[in-house]
Amino acid sequence: GKEGCIYPIKVSMSAWQSSRPIRSKRLQHVRNLTAAVLCTYFAVSIPLRIAFLPDFDLGSRRCLGYIILDAIANSYFLWETVDILFRSSVEATVVPIDRDGRDGDTIGGGGENYTAAAKSSSSKRCQFHSRALLSVQFLLAALSTLPLEYLALLLPSSPSRSVTTNYLMLNRTLMLLNLPRHLSNVFALLEQAAIVRNIGVLRAWKLFFVMALAGHWCGCGFFLVAKGQALRGNPYTWPEALGIYLVTDTQGTVEMVANTPEAYINSLYWAYITMITTGFGDIVPLSIAETVWCIFCMYVGVVISTFAIANLQLLVTSMDAALANFQRKTERIKMYMKYRKLPSTLSSRIVSFYDYQWDLLKGADEEQVLEELPRSLQQQVANFMCRDLVASIPFLRKANNALLNALAECAEFNLSIYSPSDDIIKPGERIKGVLLIFRGDVEVLRGSGGVVVERKLQRFDRFADESLFIGKVCDRFVRAKTFCEVYLLPADEFQHIIKFQCDDSHIAYMKETALTLAKSSAKANKMFGSAEDAVSLQGFKRHFLPTSNFRKIWACLQLVGIVYYFWTLPLSMMNFFRQTTFIDSAAMLSLGYVVDIFFV
């Protein structure tokens, strides 16, 4: 715009309430799931009613369930249609406002008349409104939402009124054009929630859903075509050959013999065996119209089956790809260790490290993923991973967001992974900053060689908070007990950050708090002594350690018991149907009691 004028969006409260974007992701997920379910309901119920429920009537109490569900679905999609219109309208509702926030007639106090600009803006808004009403998205939503079936209530009550009601609902099938988008949103939700991680699995489920829906439509169409031929006087149709209905006279009066579920299951059975080209010949088309429909269903089935087979091949390949790459990498590492003749203990530690990486990341390269992200996303990842760790430091619990974000980003680039029994810090080494435990168990040991456990650190624990303010040399062993991930918040970078973001009084307060906590921790360790892990277990209690031979033998016995159950349960079921039990075999009965007592 011109100098001295800004153009913020000015919207009425009612329009804002109707078209404001969904702030909550959870509410957006609910909307996507609801739309997918209701679209699927119409896609299933409409052909079912046309083919198997010719007596469907809006005034009948027997159809009350369908009427209620239709009303709920119509109300939801009507709201979605109005929301589309309001969203389109708000995008163009722009009113010029001067610097003082008034809808004035002058621009920047220059005294120029603004009437022409206002008229131009109003004409553009009207043009955009008409364009929104004629947009494909709005027209599709409006046409598929119109309750045309209520026009049948104007007709006199008769069988033809019910048939007309069903056919007037065919405009709902336009919602099938939006069904792929709704399903994609639902599957994206499953992938984001880590419910289904493999993209091949998502594609397989999508194809199975399409196959089920296509089989439903083909089965209903096959029965409808046959019934239409019978009503025209054709006595040779497949439902009549199976005894599903009878043609009572030459005018084509159809009398149902089998119930609706039986007729639907037979139609669905024919549709699936035809679509996957596995016809058994028990249900065959008997008229020209049925044959034409059969040919059409074959083409549909071949296309879907081809996509399904290709996707299943992709699924199997993608499921094994990451594991195969990891196994090849492990083999190369083992060949290298064998070539260099590394000790067996060192080799086992190296293999254990790669197994740990596989269990966590499943073959993903974390460094490469972070390098490819833009700077803003890297900072958000750092905040997610390190912000809570940094905020757990006592003198930073009330820090502002800017300080915590800067410190979290600083710590994120100083991540180290340690194997069991690795020394993170040794006595005599200078402590470069505070250690933040992100995953795993760490022990602080004292004494010659580190034989006494003084402290045990786990997630959200810290070591050497005071090193951020004073130089300190470590007099303890800080050793990894399990595989652990430790972040280091360097003292020099910490001082550089707080120098620009904190005043002197705040820095003095943080230093005093850190030193006070360090003295209190030293007194507590001196008073209470070592941790309970340093106390050696005597007698039978030592066998309860996870590394004891007794625990290993116990685990082997559990495995044998589980294998026994897997072997005997099918035999038990087989003998049950033969009206015999294991009571006839004393050895098997005694062994079963022993295994049951063991697990009890």
Side-chain angles (χ1 to χ4, degrees), residues 72 75 83 85 192 199 209 221 236 266 271 297 382 390 396 409 416 425 430 448 456 479 501 541:
I72 294 174
S75 302
D83 189 63
L85 180 62
Q192 292 174 4
I199 188 173
F209 177 83
Y236 301 106
N266 279 282
C297 294
V390 174
L396 292 176
E409 186 178 1
S416 300
I425 303 178
R430 179 179 174 272
S448 179
K456 187 174 182 180
R479 184 173 298 166
Q501 298 203 21
K541 293 182 179 179

Side-chain angles (χ1 to χ4, degrees), residues 546-588:
T547 57
S548 64
N549 292 330
F550 176 78
R551 289 291 297 271
K552 296 178 181 178
I553 296 174
W554 190 267
C556 292
L557 292 177
Q558 287 179 329
L559 178 61
V560 171
I562 293 174
V563 172
Y564 168 81
Y565 279 134
F566 273 104
W567 177 61
T568 56
L569 284 177
L571 294 178
S572 300
M573 296 297 297
M574 181 178 63
N575 291 329
F576 173 78
F577 288 109
R578 291 181 179 178
Q579 297 182 354
T580 59
T581 62
F582 280 128
I583 297 178
D584 299 335
S585 176
M588 295 296 296

Side-chain angles (χ1 to χ4, degrees), residues 210-211 214-215 218 275 294-306:
V210 172
M211 187 72 174
C218 290
M275 293 175 67
C294 180
I295 295 173
F296 170 76
C297 294
M298 286 181 182
Y299 275 106
V300 173
V302 167
V303 172
I304 297 177
S305 299
T306 303

Side-chain angles (χ1 to χ4, degrees), residues 10-71:
K10 186 177 182 181
V11 192
S12 65
M13 182 56 66
S14 59
W16 168 252
Q17 293 292 339
S18 301
S19 61
R20 61 183 179 184
I22 302 300
R23 299 178 181 179
S24 173
K25 291 184 178 180
R26 182 175 299 179
L27 182 58
Q28 183 64 41
H29 296 332
V30 172
R31 286 184 60 175
N32 293 332
L33 183 60
T34 304
V37 171
L38 295 180
C39 279
T40 305
Y41 163 72
F42 278 130
V44 172
S45 65
I46 291 177
L48 185 68
R49 286 184 243 183
I50 293 176
F52 298 98
L53 298 176
D55 56 346
F56 176 78
D57 191 0
L58 294 175
S60 175
R61 292 186 178 182
R62 294 184 295 103
C63 306
L64 186 60
Y66 283 108
I67 296 172
I68 293 175
L69 291 177
D70 290 346

Side-chain angles (χ1 to χ4, degrees), residues 140-159:
L140 180 63
L143 291 176
S144 61
T145 311
L146 291 176
L148 300 178
E149 65 272 14
Y150 288 96
L151 296 177
L153 295 176
L154 302 176
L155 302 176
S157 180
S158 63

